[in-house]
Amino acid sequence: MTGSESAGAEPRARVRRARGAEESLATIVLGFESIVAFLGGLVVYGLKAFPDGIEPWWGIVAGVVVAVLMIATTRVTRYRWGIIVGWALQVVVLLGAFLVPAFAIVAVIFGVMYGYATIKGAALDRRNARLAADPPNRTEEV
């Protein structure tokens, strides 16, 4: 027991930071997409999709790097630049279609989900902020 704790006192619960809808939804999409990015790296390796002169194992490295960047980006989606980094990662996945054309389908699906998450999430956050600043007057009838 430390000097700041008294006998019988319970430790204080850690208060979580409030997260907006945009941050939450973008984090979910990027988290799931990181799994797909890793698996995509395995596909590049298995198909030996890199041009001659580039070893196939670089596909695994690329998949791991993109997946780790996506996971790291989930920690900064609270900032506008974090959302932009998420968009840049969507472009990276789309560029993978030059190696494996099926990545275009993955890029479109996750790009649409990320776009919806960021655009609709931001709209929900603005609406919630507006309601918090000026709650609607409700009259109760008895």
Side-chain angles (χ1 to χ4, degrees), residues 32-125:
F32 282 114
E33 191 175 10
S34 69
I35 297 167
V36 174
F38 171 72
L39 294 174
L42 293 176
V43 168
V44 169
Y45 168 74
L47 294 177
K48 296 178 177 47
F50 279 126
D52 292 336
I54 300 176
E55 294 294 324
W57 57 265
W58 279 106
I60 296 173
V61 172
V64 168
V65 167
V66 172
V68 168
L69 287 174
M70 286 179 173
I71 291 169
T73 303
T74 65
R75 304 299 293 166
V76 295
T77 53
R78 74 180 85 163
Y79 307 109
R80 178 61 36 205
W81 61 267
I83 297 294
I84 293 168
V85 169
W87 278 113
L89 290 169
Q90 300 307 313
V91 171
V92 168
V93 173
L94 181 60
L95 290 174
F98 286 113
L99 297 172
V100 178
F103 283 176
I105 297 168
V106 172
V108 168
I109 291 170
F110 277 99
V112 167
M113 287 193 310
Y114 190 76
Y116 184 80
T118 56
I119 293 167
K120 188 63 175 178
L124 286 170
D125 290 341

